[in-house]
């Protein structure tokens, strides 16, 4: 049943208080980490049947860790910028001692041996992990359902998908289950669910946040990234998660770029791409995005409406080859016994990857470079490229998801091109459809200019009343 559009949240509702404010409350003794974590855990339990976003709960461990933080505070120890704040991590990202299934029946016996660097950095900052969030099998879809964990639903409308593959993470944020979430994005998997759920997600410049689990560090097109409900929380996560790590070659290249813009930014020249990839965009989505652009113009940003319409044309053909070959190359080694446990759509994408030749892959890599150069050329004239995050509203939660077909190509047309080019991209909430479903607008910047994206997002956060609304659950 479609939920009515939400009422503004009460200022005292701790579930929707920003992570930085929650941390300040713990640090100052106005609440305890244990009380905060217990509140979020109860929210997760109360909404589990409806939303199904927590795939791997770790509630007892989280409470123990919260008590340890409270004890450290009592001793006067430094608790870190996120002291005691409950967060979630996407299933498949390693957390020591927890399952690491990637949503697949073939991976249920895999246990994380150590913390992935992105979680290790948030943990060192004082965050508390309450659970790992649901994903489609091996992250291969832009909806979130699997034979292992079932169907994850959108808190704004239980009939609709929260998107994917970080759909569990986005649904948790929208439902008030933690104020921060770690996800990943290999073809829109952060930005798609953010747009579907009225939350924020950043796909950073490739390598700027280390991605140690991606097997080809030199040919990477995937990013770990932060998800949150406020720009300040998102920027704080980015700052903590960023920086070089010797397991990711591209992070060593970008390490010195962190904070490269510095200081106050001058107004951005924004270029509007109305129909990314040449695909039709639903009228209501276009209207909400145009309203957001008008807000930015009134705030002093300058807008160009004449970006080259063909800027992203052909990106899906490139991505289909590179993405499918990546799945096939990484997972063929698991063998026939694992294949028998895979879902049909994942078997199909592996088979598609196996059907391409080495020459096909080489040509796709060359086309990827050409796409990068076209986008770089556009940035000679603008500082930010804006477009709808998605071309239409999310579909039914339990509907089959075409993985690399025309339906995916059209719906995510604004997303996967920037995995290929490596540019930073953010999805920002900009209102709702007449059915009460969130709409997102995407902004893309030059490599290393994430701070410019935060600056644009802050303007919308301050001006759009829709940011104060929450799902009724």
């Amino acid at each position: 049943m479609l939920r009515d559009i939400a009422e503004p949240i009460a200022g005292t509702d701790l579930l929707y208080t920003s992570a930085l404010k929650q941390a300040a409350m713990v640090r100052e003794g106005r609440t305890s980490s244990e009380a905060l974590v217990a509140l979020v855990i109860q929210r997760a339990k109360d909404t589990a049947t409806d939303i199904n976003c927590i795939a791997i709960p770790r509630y007892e461990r989280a409470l123990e860790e919260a008590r340890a933080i409270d004890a450290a505070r009592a001793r006067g120890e430094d608790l870190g910028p996120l002291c005691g704040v409950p967060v979630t991590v996407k299933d498949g990202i390693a957390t020591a001692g927890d399952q690491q299934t990637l949503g697949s029946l073939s991976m249920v016996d895999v246990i994380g041996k150590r913390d992935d660097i992105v979680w290790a950095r948030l943990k060192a900052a004082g965050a508390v992990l309450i659970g790992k969030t649901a994903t489609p099998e091996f992250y291969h879809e832009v909806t979130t359902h699997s034979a292992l964990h079932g169907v994850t639903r959108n808190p704004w409308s239980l009939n609709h998908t929260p998107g994917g593959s970080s759909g569990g993470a986005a649904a948790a944020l929208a439902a008030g289950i933690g104020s921060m979430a770690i996800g990943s994005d290999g073809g829109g998997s952060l930005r798609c669910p953010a747009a579907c759920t009225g939350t924020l997600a950043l796909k950073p410049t490739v390598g700027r946040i280390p991605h140690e689990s991606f097997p080809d560090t030199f040919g990477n097109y995937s990013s770990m990234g932060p998800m949150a409900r406020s720009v300040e929380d998102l920027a704080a996560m980015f700052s903590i998660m960023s920086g070089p790590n010797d397991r990711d070659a591209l992070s060593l290249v970008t390490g010195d770029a962190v904070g490269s813009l510095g200081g106050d930014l001058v107004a951005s020249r924004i270029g509007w791409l109305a129909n990314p990839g040449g695909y039709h965009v639903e009228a209501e989505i276009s209207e909400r995005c145009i309203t957001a652009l008008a807000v930015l113009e009134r705030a002093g940003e300058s807008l160009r409406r004449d970006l080259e319409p063909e800027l992203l044309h052909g990106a899906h053909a490139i991505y289909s080859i590179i993405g499918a070959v990546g799945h096939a190359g990484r997972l063929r080694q698991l063998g026939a016994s694992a294949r028998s446990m895979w879902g049909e759509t994942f078997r199909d994408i592996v088979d598609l990857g196996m059907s391409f030749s080495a020459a096909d892959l080489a040509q796709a890599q060359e086309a990827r470079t050409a796409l990068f150069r076209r986008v770089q050329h556009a940035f000679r004239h603008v500082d930010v490229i804006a477009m709808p995050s998605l071309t239409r509203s999310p579909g039914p939660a339990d509907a089959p998801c075409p993985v690399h077909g025309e339906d995916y190509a059209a719906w995510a047309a604004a997303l996967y091109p920037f995995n290929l080019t490596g540019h930073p991209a953010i999805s920002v909430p900009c209102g709702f459809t007449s059915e009460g479903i969130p709409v997102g607008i995407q902004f893309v910047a030059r490599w290393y200019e994430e701070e410019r994206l935060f600056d644009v997002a802050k303007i919308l956060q301050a001006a759009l009343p829709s940011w104060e609304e929450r799902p009724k659950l």
Side-chain angles (χ1 to χ4, degrees), residues 320-360:
S320 290
I321 296 173
I322 292 175
V325 169
H327 280 299
R330 289 195 300 272
L331 298 169
R332 186 186 185 190
Q333 61 183 325
L334 296 180
S337 61
R339 180 185 173 90
S340 67
M341 291 184 274
W342 295 344
E344 181 180 359
T345 56
F346 188 69
R347 289 197 302 270
D348 288 346
I349 197 171
V350 170
D351 290 343
L352 176 64
M354 296 300 295
S355 74
F356 293 119
S357 67
D360 293 331

Side-chain angles (χ1 to χ4, degrees), residues 26 33-34 36-38 40-41 58-70 82-89 119 122-131 177-180:
V26 172
S33 179
E34 182 181 5
L36 181 57
V37 168
V40 171
I41 289 172
R58 59 191 311 279
Y59 299 150
E60 291 305 316
R61 288 176 63 189
L63 287 168
E64 291 173 5
E65 290 162 9
R67 293 182 195 112
I69 287 173
D70 291 334
L82 301 180
C83 60
V85 171
V87 305
T88 63
V89 171
W119 164 237
L122 252 65
K123 183 178 179 180
V128 177
L129 176 60
I130 65 156
I177 303 171
S179 295
M180 291 177 165

Side-chain angles (χ1 to χ4, degrees), residues 202-467:
L202 172 76
K203 183 204 77 66
T205 304
V206 65
R208 196 160 182 193
I209 292 176
H211 196 341
E212 62 174 308
S213 61
F214 198 83
D216 179 7
T217 189
F218 296 102
N220 188 12
Y221 55 87
S222 178
S223 295
M224 297 290 188
M227 308 179 77
R229 290 189 301 265
S230 77
V231 181
E232 292 78 11
D233 285 353
L234 195 76
M237 283 188 78
F238 172 70
S239 177
I240 292 166
M241 295 166 68
S242 299
N245 178 269
D246 61 8
R247 294 178 61 84
D248 181 352
L250 295 182
S251 80
L252 302 179
V253 174
T254 64
D256 290 340
V258 176
S260 58
L261 286 176
D264 294 331
L265 296 175
V266 297
S268 295
R269 300 166 299 164
I270 299 175
W272 171 238
L273 192 61
N275 299 98
Y279 292 99
H280 172 72
V281 177
E282 284 181 356
E284 280 194 308
I285 290 178
S286 292
E287 290 166 6
R288 302 302 177 271
C289 291
I290 293 297
T291 298
L293 292 174
V295 168
L296 294 173
E297 279 193 291
R298 289 195 295 272
E301 311 291 279
S302 62
L303 180 64
R304 285 189 51 171
R305 300 180 185 272
D306 57 349
L307 277 187
E308 181 182 346
E310 295 79 20
L311 180 65
L312 304 181
H313 284 202
H316 181 254
I318 307 167
Y319 183 78
S320 290
I321 296 173
I322 292 175
V325 169
H327 280 299
R330 289 195 300 272
L331 298 169
R332 186 186 185 190
Q333 61 183 325
L334 296 180
S337 61
R339 180 185 173 90
S340 67
M341 291 184 274
W342 295 344
E344 181 180 359
T345 56
F346 188 69
R347 289 197 302 270
D348 288 346
I349 197 171
V350 170
D351 290 343
L352 176 64
M354 296 300 295
S355 74
F356 293 119
S357 67
D360 293 331
L361 180 59
Q363 290 172 353
Q365 290 167 335
E366 292 171 3
R368 177 184 182 181
T369 298
L371 175 64
F372 166 79
R373 290 171 178 167
R374 289 205 306 274
V375 174
Q376 285 292 94
H377 182 79
F379 281 119
R380 295 181 183 180
H381 310 289
V382 298
D383 303 304
V384 173
I385 302 173
M387 67 204 78
S389 296
L390 296 168
T391 60
R392 64 176 186 274
S393 293
D398 51 2
C401 173
V403 182
H404 281 275
E406 186 61 22
D407 191 51
Y408 167 76
W411 191 39
L415 305 179
Y416 50 80
F418 301 105
N419 292 92
L420 296 172
T421 68
H423 291 87
I426 190 172
S427 183
V428 180
C430 63
F432 298 87
T433 69
S434 56
E435 287 191 302
I437 306 300
V439 175
I441 183 171
Q442 177 175 251
F443 300 99
V444 182
R446 300 179 186 90
W447 278 42
Y448 315 141
E449 292 195 4
E450 284 85 352
E451 290 83 355
R452 189 179 295 279
L453 299 180
F454 296 144
D455 190 60
V456 170
K458 284 177 183 176
I459 296 172
L460 296 183
Q461 177 177 262
L464 293 179
S466 59
W467 281 65

